[in-house]
Amino acid sequence: MEKEDMGASAPVSRTFYDKENQGEYLFNKSGPFWHLCTPGHLTELLFTNDEELGFGMNLMGICADRFPMLKIYTFELMNNHLHCILSGERKCCEDMFDVFQTRLQRYLVTTGREVDMSAFKASLLHIPDLHALRNEIVYVNRNGYLVKPSYTPYSYLWGAGYLYFNPIYELIPSTAFNSLTLRDKRNICRSRDVAMSEHIRVLNHIILPSSFCCIKEGEHFFRDAHHYFNLLSKNFEAYSEIAKKLKDSVFLSDEEMYSAVQSMCLKGYNLSKPVLLPSAAKIDIAKKMHYEYNASNKQIKRILRIDTGIIESLFPKVV
């Protein structure tokens, strides 16, 4: 009987380990891997509307095309910062960002906006192993949807996160950049330098990230779509660690924060509803929310229903 049971479970185990080995092999033969990010908490608004975000998308495509020795696996543009997961030599990554920064500043000047970009500098954080790479990709792909409650990771369009394990993008009609008129090319690039590789495609004057990001290769770092989605929706501890490292101010929506708090309540107090906690327990949970999950004072108040004065005495705002 023991042999029969082991035989029945073996195919599942082999499938799991085969997928893990495939991801490890791909990681080891590629790289080095980096998380390129800029400090949103120190930077003025870079993109204030869809037109400016559209240019940011095009600029990322232009930069990717100018640096073919780099691989971009995913990226997200936010109003005052960006995240990008890529591989290649450090110097090439730094040079690519320099081009992005210079051309973005030039574009903003042409629109009449005077933006102090002195703080818009890139940090390149080395990604040491496959486990970390998976978490970093997921973290970036979640970043856009945290901005507004109307977004999901699959509806935030100013990046490449919506493409992961979403084959519908292959059905989106597009046009080859090199088939456009010279006028349209210049309008997209905001430059007379409009040379572009054959594979670059556009839709509504925006370069599609699917034509310059290594989406399929990025997917292969995960075991399958279920593995990716589980990390995307439930890996709160990993979000916390990365957010602290990057000094990001928000990394869990209210719904996700509530789920994390509910789990803490069940484990620590055998209660399913945070509002039922006694006062001392609420203070304890509030401290964990603040220090471990970077929760805002308003999130703590909404979820635990603690008096504002108590919360502000625990976590006074830094002036």
Side-chain angles (χ1 to χ4, degrees):
M1 180 63 72
E2 280 186 20
K3 290 182 179 180
E4 289 179 4
D5 288 342
M6 289 174 64
S9 63
V12 176
S13 298
R14 280 200 301 269
T15 300
F16 177 89
Y17 288 114
D18 284 347
K19 291 177 179 180
E20 281 294 299
N21 289 336
Q22 174 185 295
E24 290 286 356
Y25 173 77
L26 182 60
F27 180 89
N28 291 330
K29 80 180 186 72
S30 307
F33 295 90
W34 310 93
H35 185 162
L36 184 155
C37 55
T38 64
H41 63 295
L42 299 176
T43 310
E44 290 187 20
L45 285 178
L46 303 171
F47 308 107
T48 62
N49 53 46
D50 286 358
E51 181 179 344
E52 292 172 358
L53 282 163
F55 174 76
M57 295 287 288
N58 291 339
L59 184 52
M60 186 61 75
I62 292 166
C63 288
D65 196 61
R66 298 294 184 270
F67 291 84
M69 72 292 294
L70 299 176
K71 288 184 177 181
I72 295 178
Y73 297 100
T74 192
F75 72 97
E76 295 284 298
L77 300 179
M78 314 303 292
N79 292 113
N80 60 357
H81 68 285
L82 66 87
H83 292 274
C84 182
I85 304 297
L86 68 171
S87 68
E89 296 304 315
R90 173 186 280 272
K91 181 64 165 59
C92 293
C93 297
E94 292 171 343
D95 289 345
M96 187 193 79
F97 177 77
D98 287 344
V99 172
F100 187 96
Q101 181 189 48
T102 299
R103 293 189 64 161
L104 176 59
Q105 188 162 31
R106 189 168 68 199
Y107 164 76
L108 293 175
V109 170
T110 65
T111 64
R113 290 186 57 211
E114 294 185 10
V115 180
D116 180 5
M117 298 184 68
S118 59
F120 185 58
K121 300 183 184 301
S123 296
L124 273 176
L125 307 176
H126 180 245
I127 301 174
D129 53 46
L130 177 62
H131 175 74
L133 178 62
R134 289 166 169 170
N135 287 337
E136 299 283 354
I137 289 175
V138 166
Y139 184 86
V140 171
N141 287 350
R142 284 171 43 85
N143 213 254
Y145 110 96
L146 290 174
V147 176
K148 296 180 181 179
S150 56
Y151 288 116
T152 76
Y154 288 100
S155 64
Y156 188 79
L157 298 179
W158 310 115
Y162 70 93
L163 300 172
Y164 269 67
F165 295 98
N166 187 13
I168 197 169
Y169 78 82
E170 297 174 351
L171 305 178
I172 297 174
S174 61
T175 303
F177 178 88
N178 287 334
S179 70
L180 300 175
T181 65
L182 180 60
R183 181 179 180 179
D184 283 342
K185 290 178 181 178
R186 287 179 173 173
N187 186 47
I188 289 172
C189 295
R190 297 299 180 106
S191 169
R192 293 182 179 276
D193 178 11
V194 296
M196 203 72 76
S197 301
E198 290 294 328
H199 62 270
I200 298 297
R201 302 190 68 83
V202 301
L203 174 65
N204 296 331
H205 287 80
I206 293 181
I207 297 175
L208 292 173
S210 55
S211 68
F212 64 86
C213 288
C214 301
I215 302 300
K216 290 300 180 185
E217 186 173 331
E219 290 176 348
H220 286 150
F221 291 120
F222 300 88
R223 291 192 294 274
D224 48 39
H226 283 194
H227 178 213
Y228 171 79
F229 191 75
N230 187 60
L231 294 179
L232 185 75
S233 57
K234 298 179 180 179
N235 201 8
F236 300 143
E237 289 77 11
Y239 312 152
S240 172
E241 291 175 9
I242 296 172
K244 288 176 183 176
K245 181 172 61 177
L246 302 181
K247 295 183 172 62
D248 273 358
S249 58
V250 177
F251 59 90
L252 291 183
S253 66
D254 277 7
E255 290 76 13
E256 291 170 330
M257 187 68 75
Y258 185 87
S259 179
V261 170
Q262 196 172 40
S263 177
M264 284 188 265
C265 293
L266 282 170
K267 289 179 181 177
Y269 304 95
N270 200 29
L271 289 172
S272 61
K273 295 183 179 180
V275 295
L276 298 179
L277 293 170
S279 298
K282 283 188 177 182
I283 298 300
D284 181 54
I285 294 293
K287 289 178 179 178
K288 290 181 179 179
M289 291 174 67
H290 178 85
Y291 293 113
E292 296 180 21
Y293 291 91
N294 212 28
S296 68
N297 285 3
K298 290 183 178 179
Q299 277 186 315
I300 295 172
K301 178 179 174 60
R302 286 194 293 268
I303 293 173
L304 294 180
R305 298 182 188 173
I306 299 176
D307 181 81
T308 303
I310 295 175
I311 296 173
E312 291 181 352
S313 69
L314 289 169
F315 319 114
K317 295 180 181 178
V318 179
V319 180

